[in-house]
Amino acid sequence: MAGKRTADGDASDPAPKKALTTSSTLASASSVPNNKTMPTNYSFIEKAPSGCCKIVTFNVNSLAASCKKGFKEYVVAEDPDILCLQETKANQPMAFLLSKTQYPHQTWHCSRAKKGYSGTAVFSKIKPLRVTTGFGAEPIDDEGRLITLEFDTFHLVACYVPNAGDKLVRLDRRMVWDDAMRTHIAALEQTKPVIYTGDLNVAHNEIDLARPDTNHRSPGFTDEERTSFSDTLRGATYPRVDAFRHLHPDTRAAAYTYFGYRANCREKTLGWRLDYFVVSEPLLARVAGVVTRNQCYGASDHVPLLLYLRNVEANDDSKCSVETSGTKTESDETKDEPLEAKDELDETKDEPLEAKDKSTDENVAKSE
């Protein structure tokens, strides 16, 4: 592990470039929404820019609970081309969650370690060339945290990074995960650039949370986790870029993607930026924008984050286009799985059926 970085970040980060500006991207701190329920009117959602693919990442903190609080209505309004979900807490695929007509390529990675815990899923209108789950190694794969999809011009790594845990009891496991992820991404980059997305469970710099001074030994903001994330950005073949922070280096409150349920964090705008799109540097020119859906809080304790990815040239047959036909891929293997009733799950974070949010007004940490 390299030496520690300062809260100002890595001086080698490339200079910010101009992004497509939207009303929800650059909201000032005073205008950041603090609603506690999902909107009933989604007219603020802009159409994707012409020639762009829309990718959304969203930690739903239990799909069963989220569906009761507006998750499906949001997905209909947003209409992403690719939807990456974390913390599904599903014990098996929920086959009828989203229509196979709309999202013909659906992949689930459910936890085998505990019921009602962790879990990831990816829904895509675009047919992947290949889909894998996990790193291919136990026991690091037993919590259902990783789905990798290969598309024509990039790999998509969708994951839910382990939390370091209350009193940092899982920090060592987190460091093992980070090392495995760097190896995984580096291997993928030998063939195509990578988009690494999801709840990465780290606030990289002081600008990425409301109260950095009192959270230096809180999970998600330890020196170890922040340094490890800097190591991930440094890359092996070429640098990787935190796309949102690259485009919006000074945005603070409007960048937060997580607000704990306790201590009235949402109303007070006491949040953390824990959800990311990290892209291999060769893909950076295709990033048209990254938008934090500040208004879309209430279905989870996170808000969605989306990336607009420019298609390659129209005369190139590898462009990011919607395709629903063709042979069955690994992502289709859950098509006929039955829907499982999940009503018994409560709203917990990274622990099965246990309340783990110990946030206070003075020390607002994601301790679940």
Side-chain angles (χ1 to χ4, degrees):
M1 182 178 294
K4 296 178 181 178
R5 297 288 184 275
T6 68
D8 295 324
D10 191 334
S12 65
D13 287 346
K17 297 180 180 179
K18 186 175 181 180
L20 295 178
T21 303
T22 68
S23 59
S24 56
T25 305
L26 300 176
S28 66
S30 61
S31 64
V32 174
N34 61 359
N35 53 297
K36 296 182 179 180
T37 59
M38 292 293 276
T40 56
N41 183 337
Y42 286 98
S43 60
F44 58 85
I45 291 182
E46 311 87 353
K47 293 183 65 175
S50 177
C52 286
C53 171
K54 181 192 287 190
I55 306 174
V56 168
T57 183
F58 192 8
N59 179 320
V60 294
N61 188 20
S62 171
L63 263 175
S66 188
C67 285
K68 297 175 182 178
K69 296 184 285 187
F71 165 78
K72 287 188 176 182
E73 291 80 359
Y74 161 72
V75 173
V76 169
E78 188 72 76
D79 192 27
D81 295 299
I82 303 173
L83 174 64
C84 306
L85 303 181
Q86 302 88 48
E87 205 168 2
T88 63
K89 298 188 180 180
N91 296 330
Q92 64 183 34
M94 299 169 66
F96 304 107
L97 179 72
L98 297 176
S99 166
K100 284 280 187 175
T101 301
Q102 183 181 18
Y103 292 103
H105 310 290
Q106 304 187 8
T107 306
W108 297 76
H109 192 200
C110 301
S111 172
R112 299 187 303 273
K114 307 171 187 176
K115 289 187 175 182
Y117 181 70
S118 187
T120 49
V122 176
F123 301 83
S124 180
K125 298 178 181 180
I126 306 161
K127 182 180 179 180
L129 302 176
R130 176 177 168 81
V131 179
T132 60
T133 56
F135 294 112
E138 298 290 350
I140 198 168
D141 286 341
D142 63 1
E143 294 180 350
R145 294 182 178 273
L146 173 63
I147 299 172
T148 303
L149 304 95
E150 179 183 359
F151 294 99
D152 287 332
T153 61
F154 64 92
H155 296 280
L156 178 65
V157 177
C159 76
Y160 177 35
V161 172
N163 189 286
D166 190 29
K167 299 182 180 179
L168 305 180
V169 296
R170 285 166 55 96
L171 182 58
D172 288 346
R173 181 181 175 94
R174 165 62 181 271
M175 295 296 100
V176 170
W177 168 278
D178 285 356
D179 285 342
M181 180 57 71
R182 281 189 287 272
T183 299
H184 181 62
I185 295 175
L188 295 173
E189 286 176 333
Q190 295 302 306
T191 59
K192 296 175 184 178
V194 170
I195 298 173
Y196 173 37
T197 188
D199 178 356
L200 304 191
N201 253 322
V202 63
H204 188 208
N205 294 313
E206 291 194 353
I207 194 174
D208 295 319
L209 71 165
R211 294 185 171 172
D213 292 345
T214 56
N215 277 293
H216 281 280
R217 294 310 293 168
S218 296
F221 196 61
T222 63
D223 289 346
E224 294 90 335
E225 291 164 295
R226 296 166 64 200
T227 297
S228 182
F229 189 66
S230 291
D231 291 343
T232 298
L233 293 181
R234 186 172 298 107
T237 306
Y238 30 65
R240 304 173 190 127
V241 182
D242 172 354
F244 179 90
R245 189 53 74 203
H246 173 77
L247 296 172
H248 309 297
D250 302 319
T251 302
R252 188 164 198 141
Y256 300 155
T257 61
Y258 165 79
F259 301 86
Y261 284 132
R262 297 189 179 183
N264 214 13
C265 294
R266 175 66 174 178
E267 183 174 335
K268 298 174 182 177
T269 323
L270 299 177
W272 295 55
R273 188 173 75 99
L274 299 177
D275 303 85
Y276 293 77
F277 283 98
V278 173
V279 301
S280 302
E281 192 173 52
L283 272 180
L284 189 58
R286 290 177 57 191
V287 175
V290 183
V291 179
T292 305
R293 286 287 185 227
N294 314 101
Q295 304 95 326
C296 299
Y297 184 86
S300 171
D301 49 5
H302 288 247
V303 298
L305 182 71
L306 69 91
L307 178 142
Y308 293 121
L309 184 70
R310 293 186 180 94
N311 297 333
V312 294
E313 294 301 320
N315 61 358
D316 188 325
D317 61 5
S318 67
K319 67 184 289 188
C320 182
S321 59
V322 176
E323 179 182 341
T324 61
S325 61
T327 59
K328 182 175 180 179
T329 69
E330 293 178 52
S331 61
D332 295 324
E333 64 188 15
T334 63
K335 184 171 183 179
D336 298 319
E337 294 286 349
L339 176 68
E340 175 177 324
K342 298 290 293 177
D343 291 357
E344 72 278 6
L345 292 180
D346 67 353
E347 300 167 16
T348 62
K349 297 293 298 173
D350 216 7
E351 288 294 341
L353 310 181
E354 295 178 13
K356 291 294 295 177
D357 189 346
K358 301 183 184 300
S359 302
T360 65
D361 188 16
E362 292 74 22
N363 186 24
V364 184
K366 186 185 179 186
S367 59
E368 299 86 342

